[in-house]
Amino acid sequence: MNLKMLVQLVLGLSLLVTLGACGPKNNSASVCVPPSSNPSNKLHFESGVPCNQAAALNEAVSSLVTLPLDSSNSSVGLMARTMKTDDVTPAGLQNWMEDRVQYIINGDFKIRSHLYTTNQPFSYSEPNILPDAYTNSASVQGAQIIMLNVGTEVYANGKLAKQLYIVDLPGIGYVPMPSPRTGMLAIGPGLFNSLGGAQSAVVLNIFRLGTLFHEARHSDGHGKTLGFMHSVCPPGHDYAGLPACDLSTNGPYTIGAMMVKNLTNACTNCTAGDLLSLRAMYLDVANRVLDPAKAPIGLAPDASAGMDWDDSPEGSR
Ligand SMILES: [Zn+2]
């Protein structure tokens, strides 16, 4: 493959942010322990991801089997329709997520210096259409990033440059990005320290699952809905001024909130304290889906407020 190194990657897409208090860093890495309970987990970890963080994410995915959802429950049914799936079994949900998330990289990974392209032009669908928010990236100062769907960023930048971008991931190799569905997430500092205090394993697992499903949604959409980009929260909102809200009713915060709610309902061994933490987590996320009356106006009609956006993805894996 004829590769040419690229520079300049515009950042600013798909952020899940929180303003929670910082806890101790949890990045002691040495010898990797393979995921024990569910060998079918398909996430690929770049070699810079600390082993304990990879193990924690694998454990979260594996914990789906301990939190089986009741498909006859109306809240689960609503989530299934929103996700356009008829399989809410643990395996079905895992597949839905892994269709959209494949690679996990360390937040410190310098992706700009690991970006390549071929010298061949690449044909994108809807070549000149990008989300409005993509060209109006808001500052995230004051926010703490939990995870970031960098795959969608790389794809969108490739689309802008009309070339296929390829990321060289240590320990994995060259990963072409012909679609956001290639699914590449960077771990932010908030994923392992944002909850504050001692939380039980089940609370941490549900938090991380909600995050993974949130980020998975950023791998969907096309044209103006590409990446289901966040909107800046309006004045008066807890996150006013930050790109930490959704206009759509089927976006990342909706998916994340539904997952947290339904997994919490499925938790049979949660303590009263666990349930308090999980309900607070749910409310924080659900509150980021904007009331259309408070949303900005003048948006693209297929990516405006108070409606389900078209989730058909661009490109193919
Ligand atoms: Zn997000």
Side-chain angles (χ1 to χ4, degrees):
M1 191 180 291
N2 188 2
L3 298 170
K4 181 178 71 175
M5 185 175 289
L6 294 175
V7 291
Q8 274 204 320
L9 175 67
V10 180
L11 297 175
L13 189 64
S14 60
L15 299 173
L16 169 60
V17 293
T18 178
L19 303 176
C22 291
K25 275 191 176 270
N26 183 21
N27 58 359
S28 58
S30 53
V31 180
C32 266
V33 179
S36 55
S37 53
N38 189 348
S40 68
N41 287 4
K42 293 175 187 164
L43 299 180
H44 303 285
F45 294 93
E46 174 261 318
S47 60
V49 175
C51 296
N52 58 336
Q53 295 187 3
L57 284 171
N58 275 325
E59 182 190 324
V61 176
S62 298
S63 75
L64 277 170
V65 298
T66 68
L67 299 162
L69 305 189
D70 174 5
S71 60
S72 67
N73 177 281
S74 61
S75 176
V76 174
L78 176 60
M79 184 179 81
R81 289 193 296 280
T82 304
M83 294 167 69
K84 293 186 179 169
T85 181
D86 54 10
D87 186 355
V88 292
T89 64
L93 290 172
Q94 184 177 338
N95 284 338
W96 190 95
M97 187 272 290
E98 289 174 347
D99 278 347
R100 295 158 176 82
V101 177
Q102 293 191 85
Y103 302 98
I104 308 288
I105 65 176
N106 190 358
D108 295 334
F109 180 69
K110 305 296 183 203
I111 201 164
R112 295 176 197 217
S113 55
H114 291 79
L115 266 187
Y116 298 84
T117 187
T118 67
N119 57 3
Q120 303 295 319
F122 184 75
S123 179
Y124 284 90
S125 59
E126 301 178 76
N128 299 312
I129 304 178
L130 284 164
D132 294 342
Y134 183 76
T135 48
N136 297 313
S137 294
S139 167
V140 294
Q141 280 191 353
Q144 186 178 57
I145 294 173
I146 297 174
M147 282 194 107
L148 190 63
N149 191 322
V150 290
T152 301
E153 281 188 30
V154 171
Y155 172 83
N157 279 276
K159 183 175 179 176
L160 210 55
K162 304 187 190 314
Q163 289 184 304
L164 177 64
Y165 278 15
I166 299 159
V167 186
D168 182 15
L169 290 183
I172 294 173
Y174 293 118
V175 178
M177 302 295 297
S179 166
R181 282 285 190 95
T182 304
M184 186 179 295
L185 309 185
I187 294 172
L191 189 63
F192 291 97
N193 66 8
S194 69
L195 294 181
Q199 296 288 353
S200 70
V202 70
V203 170
L204 292 172
N205 284 337
I206 291 175
F207 167 63
R208 290 169 188 149
L209 281 168
T211 302
L212 286 172
F213 279 79
H214 169 115
E215 294 301 332
R217 183 52 119 190
H218 282 304
S219 298
D220 284 334
H222 67 100
K224 289 293 181 187
T225 68
L226 174 66
F228 277 79
M229 288 192 63
H230 296 313
S231 176
V232 174
C233 302
H237 192 277
D238 289 348
Y239 297 94
L242 290 171
C245 286
D246 276 348
L247 299 174
S248 67
T249 47
N250 62 339
Y253 286 120
T254 297
I255 300 289
M258 288 175 163
M259 282 297 295
V260 168
K261 179 180 182 180
N262 290 320
L263 292 172
T264 299
N265 289 341
C267 183
T268 54
N269 63 345
C270 279
T271 66
D274 291 340
L275 293 175
L276 273 178
S277 295
L278 289 165
R279 284 175 186 147
M281 189 188 304
Y282 164 76
L283 289 172
D284 175 78
V285 178
N287 190 40
R288 298 163 185 243
V289 182
L290 293 181
D291 178 341
K294 297 176 184 169
I297 56 173
L299 299 157
D302 49 357
S304 58
M307 59 184 271
D308 279 4
W309 289 3
D310 188 340
D311 61 1
S312 310
E314 283 192 21
S316 60
R317 271 167 45 184

